[in-house]
Amino acid sequence: MTLINNNQQPDYMMLVEKQLQLTESQGIAIRGLWDGMKKMQEDVTGKVEEVQMMVQEVRDSVTLTDAECYQLQEAVRIRSITLTKDRYKETDGKFNETVGKYRRMIWSKLKVLFSVAKYSHIRRIDFDDSIYFVKEFRPEDYI
């Protein structure tokens, strides 16, 4: 294909036609690249959302740490003693028996509230609620 016509002048129409074909093929390639990038972004976004949901499921199912169990035990110990002091003097013979009674009652109601067989199976996301329950526990609410 020659770009010079019989009069020895460049064939501008043919040049423009060639350039137009090249531009169109580049446009098709760029469109394909763009469409591929959009699809990839959608796939990545979907995967990120899926991973976030899985992470949340794991967080929601993780139970109390040893430190949190200790804090909960301490809260129950303090609350059972406080409740008993409100009703008996420490020198009273029923003091220790009543502390134990309140302690068992708190643990029992706590396990029922959080639907667990052992307090250590309370989920970490429920830790603050369990501490609040213990601190606000009133035996009168369950008698």
Side-chain angles (χ1 to χ4, degrees), residues 11-120:
D11 188 352
Y12 293 109
M13 291 301 282
M14 189 179 278
L15 280 172
V16 171
E17 178 70 27
K18 279 264 202 216
Q19 187 60 43
L20 184 58
Q21 288 173 353
L22 181 61
T23 302
E24 287 173 345
S25 66
Q26 288 173 339
I28 290 170
I30 290 171
R31 171 55 67 189
L33 181 61
W34 175 253
D35 290 344
M37 289 171 55
K38 280 177 44 179
K39 175 75 172 114
M40 194 180 338
Q41 181 185 17
E42 291 169 2
D43 291 348
V44 168
T45 299
K47 294 294 181 192
V48 167
E49 289 172 359
E50 187 178 326
V51 168
Q52 287 172 333
M53 288 185 342
M54 290 169 57
V55 166
Q56 190 60 45
E57 285 178 25
V58 169
R59 281 187 186 145
D60 290 350
S61 66
V62 173
T63 58
L64 299 179
T65 64
D66 287 345
E68 290 165 333
C69 285
Y70 178 78
Q71 287 177 299
L72 193 56
Q73 289 171 348
E74 189 65 13
V76 169
R77 185 185 71 75
I78 290 169
R79 185 66 180 150
S80 62
I81 290 171
T82 302
L83 288 169
T84 306
K85 283 182 179 179
D86 290 345
R87 289 152 180 83
Y88 297 99
K89 293 182 183 198
E90 289 185 55
T91 56
D92 193 323
K94 291 188 171 190
F95 187 83
N96 288 336
E97 178 184 327
T98 306
V99 168
K101 182 178 168 183
Y102 285 143
R103 202 167 284 173
R104 286 187 301 277
M105 183 184 277
I106 293 169
W107 285 125
S108 173
K109 301 307 178 190
L110 188 66
K111 290 186 286 187
V112 168
L113 178 66
F114 292 101
S115 302
V116 293
K118 298 164 70 175
Y119 78 92
S120 60

